[in-house]
Amino acid sequence: MKKFLSMVMAAAMVVSLVPATAFAASDDVRATAKVVDAQNYTETEIETANSVASDAELQLTFTTADYTAADFTADIDLTLDNAYFRAGTSLKAEDMYVKVDGSVYAGEETATANGIRTITFTGAGLDGADVVLKVPSVAGQNDADEITVTLKGKLDRGAVLAIGLDTVMDKISKGKTATISVDSDDIRITNGDDLVYASVESKGIKASVKDTVDIATEEVATLKEIKVEPAVGSNFAALITDEQVAKAELKLKLPSGYEFTAKTDVQVNGTDVDFTNDDDEIVIKVSKLDRDEDVWKITGLEVEATSAKAGATGLVKISLTGSDTVSVEAIKVVDYNVVMSVDEDEDVPVIYSGVNVDNKGITDDSDHESLEVTIEETFAGAWNNSKDFTLSVPEGVYITAVKSPAFDNDGEDGEFNEEEWFEAAYEEGDYVDLTFKRRGWAETDPNKNHDPAELTFALELVADPNFEGDVVLKLTGDAVDEQEVTVAKFVKPYTVEAQQNDMQIDYRNTEIPTSVVVKEAEAGLWDKGTKFVLSLDKIDFDDEGTIAVDDKSGLEVKDDEVKTTTVDGDDAVYFVVDSRSDDEPATVTISGLQLYMDRSLPAGAYDLEMVSPEMNDPYESTVVLNGTKDKVDGENRTIADINDDFVDYTAKAGFVNIVTAGREDTESFTTKVVVPVGESYLISGENKVTIDVPAYINANGYTMLPLRAVAVALGINSNNVLWDQSTRTATIMYGSKIINMTYGQKVVYVNGAMIPATAAVEITNDRMFLGLRDLGNALGVTDITWDGATRTATLNGNK
């Protein structure tokens, strides 16, 4: 009776160690903020307009719109700097709209109550629903620089919410700007800080560049087109009179750390012009330019980052005689030289795991193709062809083909066979990674005005039945910074819900008290004739049990009673889909399962496997991306070849946990375990096993071994090595033994009997450690040796 109570208490402790975690749904809504039609004023213009900055608008583009709330509501905070919203006139309905797929939905003020105006965008939301913006009448008719507007309704991904910025600037002297910041606790706002929507300039010039150019230290790049325009007036003749033109100059000056190269050949509006190059400054005589133009587009500026360091930005200062100097950010010094990316606007494809590229066994028509990946140099010559690099996918994901690989490079002798190059890399990476031993193309030469090299491709992918989640493609190598992009997502075509069942050994008709529930991922996914087989390693199922299908999906199975088949010599149970589900995913519940358990079975946990031959057999036969060098008997490699004919189909780890063995199993430990002190591994039989905390010698000179790592290495199932944080007690359930040990105590309990220990139990880096001899005694391993020369402990099993 005492023995039985000990077992019950241990089982209760297992349950107590499982955290009760609640999962709450949340919205993932994201938007990018920007200002459109920002206004530039002269001091005279802004004075004439009574300090009003208008015509600019704030746009929020919704980049992600995953809603879980039935009625989505978001507060959006708008904060102005050097400006304020005017009571009663700012934030008018006619200055707002929503744009979706090219259609514009104008705002209409539909109600006003308690100082709050309701602006409705009819039909602008998901499925044609209305979207509403609640706007305060600017703090109860008082001017305000901070307000909160409330968005009600769901906007689709890609939708744009526009709000006109008809405001008043506080300070209107030269150089002053008005900015708006956007924030929200309900929407993740990108680029929401200090957006300039109005600025005051004096009479002079303004300059702009479409984008910065990336450059590495001691590398050369050509700047993007720089535009110089009059800040006031229609052309440059209004700035420079005929009397001034003879002495007038246009100058472009680089900051410290940069120089114009000797190859710089300046063009203005596509025409060569005379200029002088003083390393860091270009000077152009205005008499050589057309003053009747409204813009001077300057190209051909080649720059070298002579000493500028990574992370620095280069401001080109531009001055015109008689005007103020202006600056544009034209250069960025980068500390990486190869960039991997995908199109962020493309949806990540969803693929089902455990099926081949033809989706055998399911009705899905996906092509298993990832997002297109781009790997490109940030400047010509950045990709070092003497360095290896690797592309890797997560464990359990395999590449079956490379789709549309293309290489764009204007270097000499740059042509090569991209598909063979990928095949060779997959073979080199042992069908786990793509390991590129050589680049395969001619180096781009910045001195020959080559464009940066660019490689694009997509991958055809499959994944093991138990793999689910994002496929993160990782780029590593000596010549590149480590980078990651998400290229696909795998989901399981079915999920299995099951509980651990603590069972006492018996011969047959041992009923499992809980049910196994199999759920379809989406309606109509399982094809007619698809078979699902459940099995346990070393334990037979009896042909008892019932199969019940939910009453909503419409799916039917061929028999509502359990039938048996054989899997690896063990009796298994199965069901077969007779007709597909219709409107809802199916749920199949298997109850009353019974086991035939041989009395020789050792205590421990036994995993439940779920296999669908119609899905999984074709999957294991899937051919991976294959070249010609590495075949199996002259044939292409398959998933089964790579996995040595083993793919994990575990549906529930520890589904059956035998807590009492049929006999006292004192000869279970047959594995020799070698534990080197100070090393992050141990040797179990012939296998090298990584451990997160190494063995060590404590202050009293005792060799301390990691309890869980050594126990598992000796063959005890990890589920039977338990930890109770409240009492800081470890428990090992082995056969008919229950072994307990508590932190700080110099004693071990076996089935309640106290056994003195030579060293107190210690905890190091959140792992429990026990003395070498004490651990062996507790586990019944009597042949233990210590080699002082190599500082190695050896536990010889079955001795």
Side-chain angles (χ1 to χ4, degrees):
M1 184 63 181
K2 290 181 179 179
K3 185 174 183 179
F4 173 75
L5 289 175
S6 296
M7 292 299 177
V8 172
M9 292 176 65
M13 186 172 68
V14 174
V15 175
S16 71
L17 295 177
V18 179
T21 305
F23 295 91
S26 61
D27 293 302
D28 186 10
V29 182
R30 308 183 191 189
T32 299
K34 70 176 180 178
V35 166
V36 176
D37 294 331
Q39 301 297 297
N40 294 321
Y41 300 93
T42 64
E43 293 173 274
T44 301
E45 288 173 332
I46 198 70
E47 288 172 357
T48 303
N50 294 320
S51 305
V52 174
S54 60
D55 297 328
E57 66 182 32
L58 170 69
Q59 290 188 355
L60 292 178
T61 302
F62 287 75
T63 56
T64 302
D66 294 336
Y67 300 99
T68 56
D71 184 13
F72 180 74
T73 301
D75 287 339
I76 304 172
D77 300 324
L78 305 179
T79 304
L80 301 181
D81 185 43
N82 191 35
Y84 57 87
F85 297 103
R86 293 180 298 173
T89 58
S90 290
L91 300 169
K92 296 176 291 205
E94 56 264 33
D95 293 335
M96 303 182 189
Y97 63 88
V98 173
K99 187 174 183 181
V100 183
D101 293 333
S103 299
V104 177
Y105 301 85
E108 179 183 1
E109 188 168 327
T110 54
T112 301
N114 300 321
I116 301 295
R117 292 182 288 127
T118 300
I119 298 172
T120 301
F121 306 92
T122 304
L126 286 175
D127 301 322
D130 294 347
V131 174
V132 173
L133 205 62
K134 296 284 188 177
V135 180
S137 297
V138 189
Q141 302 303 319
N142 293 319
D143 297 335
D145 58 4
E146 295 183 17
I147 66 166
T148 298
V149 300
T150 301
L151 173 69
K152 293 188 175 183
K154 301 176 180 179
L155 288 169
D156 201 356
R157 183 172 178 268
V160 177
L161 171 63
I163 300 175
L165 297 175
D166 186 358
T167 61
V168 178
M169 292 182 65
D170 290 326
K171 299 176 182 178
I172 58 172
S173 57
K174 169 189 166 185
K176 296 297 181 182
T177 61
T179 65
I180 184 169
S181 296
V182 189
D183 193 18
S184 174
D185 291 336
D186 308 299
I187 301 172
R188 287 191 248 182
I189 305 292
T190 301
N191 195 39
D193 295 332
D194 299 327
L195 301 172
V196 176
Y197 67 91
S199 58
V200 181
E201 301 177 9
S202 63
K203 178 181 177 181
I205 59 172
K206 56 185 179 180
S208 63
V209 61
K210 284 185 177 181
D211 197 3
T212 60
V213 61
D214 289 339
I215 189 172
T217 303
E218 299 183 355
E219 295 291 343
V220 173
T222 300
L223 302 188
K224 303 292 178 66
E225 177 185 271
I226 295 177
K227 290 183 179 180
V228 182
E229 304 171 73
V232 179
S234 59
N235 55 34
F236 289 100
L239 296 178
I240 305 170
T241 64
D242 292 339
E243 292 77 13
Q244 296 171 324
V245 70
K247 296 182 178 180
E249 295 176 332
L250 177 66
K251 298 180 180 180
L252 297 94
K253 186 174 180 62
L254 293 172
S256 175
Y258 305 88
E259 290 183 1
F260 290 108
T261 71
K263 293 185 177 181
T264 289
D265 186 13
V266 179
Q267 291 188 327
V268 177
N269 293 346
T271 302
D272 291 331
V273 296
D274 295 334
F275 65 95
T276 59
N277 182 353
D278 190 19
D279 292 336
D280 64 345
E281 186 177 65
I282 296 290
V283 180
I284 305 171
K285 296 291 186 180
V286 172
S287 59
K288 304 296 184 180
L289 302 175
D290 187 349
R291 288 180 293 139
D292 291 329
E293 297 281 1
D294 59 356
V295 59
W296 288 335
K297 299 178 181 178
I298 305 171
T299 56
L301 300 172
E302 190 176 85
V303 173
E304 179 182 3
T306 53
S307 60
K309 301 302 182 184
T313 56
L315 292 174
V316 180
K317 292 183 178 181
I318 303 169
S319 60
L320 180 65
T321 301
S323 297
D324 290 335
T325 299
V326 295
S327 299
V328 291
E329 184 177 310
I331 312 166
K332 182 180 179 181
V333 183
V334 295
D335 59 355
Y336 54 87
N337 50 26
V338 177
V339 178
M340 181 170 66
S341 63
V342 294
D343 188 344
E344 296 293 344
D345 293 330
E346 290 288 333
D347 292 332
V348 175
V350 177
I351 311 169
Y352 285 104
S353 51
V355 298
N356 70 358
V357 294
D358 296 324
N359 295 307
K360 296 292 186 181
I362 61 174
T363 60
D364 189 64
D365 60 356
S366 67
D367 57 11
H368 287 244
E369 189 169 320
S370 74
L371 291 177
E372 184 179 73
V373 179
T374 300
I375 304 178
E376 57 186 332
E377 297 178 308
T378 54
F379 53 86
W383 205 331
N384 190 326
N385 68 340
S386 65
K387 302 288 186 180
D388 298 353
F389 67 96
T390 298
L391 290 169
S392 56
V393 292
E395 183 179 359
V397 177
Y398 305 94
I399 303 168
T400 57
V402 57
K403 297 290 188 177
S404 306
F407 182 70
D408 183 13
N409 174 26
D410 56 4
E412 298 173 0
D413 302 322
E415 295 185 2
F416 69 104
N417 189 312
E418 291 94 338
E419 291 189 9
E420 290 184 1
W421 186 58
F422 270 89
E423 290 170 354
Y426 205 36
E427 290 175 354
E428 185 68 35
D430 200 23
Y431 304 100
V432 176
D433 302 321
L434 292 160
T435 301
F436 298 89
K437 301 299 291 182
R438 59 183 182 85
R439 192 182 56 192
W441 62 84
E443 186 173 7
T444 49
D445 187 349
N447 295 319
K448 296 182 179 179
N449 292 321
H450 286 166
D451 291 331
E454 178 181 282
L455 174 68
T456 59
F457 60 91
L459 301 174
E460 185 181 75
L461 302 170
V462 296
D464 282 344
N466 272 322
F467 183 89
E468 61 180 337
D470 290 340
V471 177
V472 177
L473 184 68
K474 182 182 291 186
L475 171 65
T476 56
D478 293 338
V480 299
D481 282 349
E482 182 174 313
Q483 299 166 62
E484 295 180 349
V485 291
T486 299
V487 297
K489 180 178 182 179
F490 276 95
V491 298
K492 298 178 181 180
Y494 59 84
T495 56
V496 178
E497 296 179 358
Q499 302 176 30
Q500 179 171 303
N501 297 272
D502 292 336
M503 310 285 289
Q504 295 188 30
I505 201 75
D506 203 348
Y507 272 118
R508 56 183 304 120
N509 304 120
T510 305
E511 183 168 333
I512 298 175
T514 63
S515 300
V516 176
V517 179
V518 186
K519 292 186 175 182
E520 190 178 26
E522 66 172 295
L525 182 64
W526 300 344
D527 209 354
K528 180 178 179 179
T530 300
K531 186 177 184 180
F532 294 89
V533 183
L534 289 86
S535 63
L536 284 167
D537 184 30
K538 298 185 178 72
I539 303 179
D540 289 334
F541 280 106
D542 283 334
D543 56 352
E544 296 292 337
T546 59
I547 301 171
V549 183
D550 67 280
D551 57 4
K552 295 181 179 180
S553 66
L555 181 134
E556 296 179 359
V557 295
K558 287 190 175 181
D559 202 325
D560 59 2
E561 293 185 356
V562 163
K563 301 294 182 183
T564 59
T565 185
T566 301
V567 175
D568 295 332
D570 298 319
D571 287 343
V573 298
Y574 68 90
F575 68 88
V576 179
V577 176
D578 198 34
S579 64
R580 290 158 47 187
S581 59
D582 297 322
D583 298 329
E584 294 187 16
T587 298
V588 179
T589 302
I590 307 170
S591 305
L593 290 172
Q594 293 188 3
L595 302 177
Y596 179 92
M597 295 191 293
D598 192 287
R599 286 188 181 274
S600 64
L601 287 169
Y606 295 82
D607 299 341
L608 177 70
E609 287 194 350
M610 169 72 87
V611 176
S612 171
E614 285 71 28
M615 298 181 199
N616 304 142
D617 288 351
Y619 168 73
E620 291 192 33
S621 300
T622 298
V623 175
V624 299
L625 177 65
N626 236 172
T628 58
K629 294 187 301 180
D630 193 2
K631 308 284 186 177
V632 177
D633 297 328
E635 299 296 329
N636 287 315
R637 279 194 176 270
T638 65
I639 300 294
D641 296 328
I642 296 171
N643 284 288
D644 296 326
D645 297 311
F646 173 78
V647 177
D648 183 18
Y649 293 101
T650 302
K652 171 61 180 178
F655 175 64
V656 170
N657 185 40
I658 298 178
V659 296
T660 56
R663 55 185 170 82
E664 184 71 14
D665 190 356
T666 59
E667 301 297 323
S668 284
F669 296 134
T670 59
T671 302
K672 177 180 178 181
V673 177
V674 180
V675 187
V677 169
E679 300 292 344
S680 58
Y681 69 89
L682 54 79
I683 305 297
S684 176
E686 296 181 354
N687 299 318
K688 185 176 181 180
V689 180
T690 300
I691 56 177
D692 49 5
V693 181
Y696 61 90
I697 297 176
N698 70 4
N700 296 320
Y702 290 107
T703 301
M704 307 299 290
L705 303 187
L707 174 66
R708 179 181 293 272
V710 173
V712 172
L714 282 165
I716 296 176
N717 191 290
S718 180
N719 290 333
N720 288 344
V721 183
L722 312 173
W723 170 250
D724 186 346
Q725 178 62 34
S726 61
T727 62
R728 307 185 85 176
T729 298
T731 299
I732 298 176
M733 300 171 65
Y734 159 54
S736 59
K737 295 179 181 178
I738 298 178
I739 305 166
N740 304 98
M741 58 208 74
T742 302
Y743 168 68
Q745 295 185 3
K746 292 180 65 174
V747 64
V748 177
Y749 292 88
V750 178
N751 288 344
M754 183 178 69
I755 300 175
T758 58
V761 179
E762 298 182 0
I763 293 177
T764 302
N765 293 334
D766 297 327
R767 297 293 184 269
M768 178 169 278
F769 283 75
L770 194 60
L772 169 63
R773 300 289 174 183
D774 301 328
L775 180 56
N777 290 337
L779 297 177
V781 180
T782 58
D783 185 3
I784 303 173
T785 59
W786 166 253
D787 187 337
T790 61
R791 292 164 56 88
T792 299
T794 301
L795 294 86
N796 293 293
N798 202 16
K799 296 287 183 71

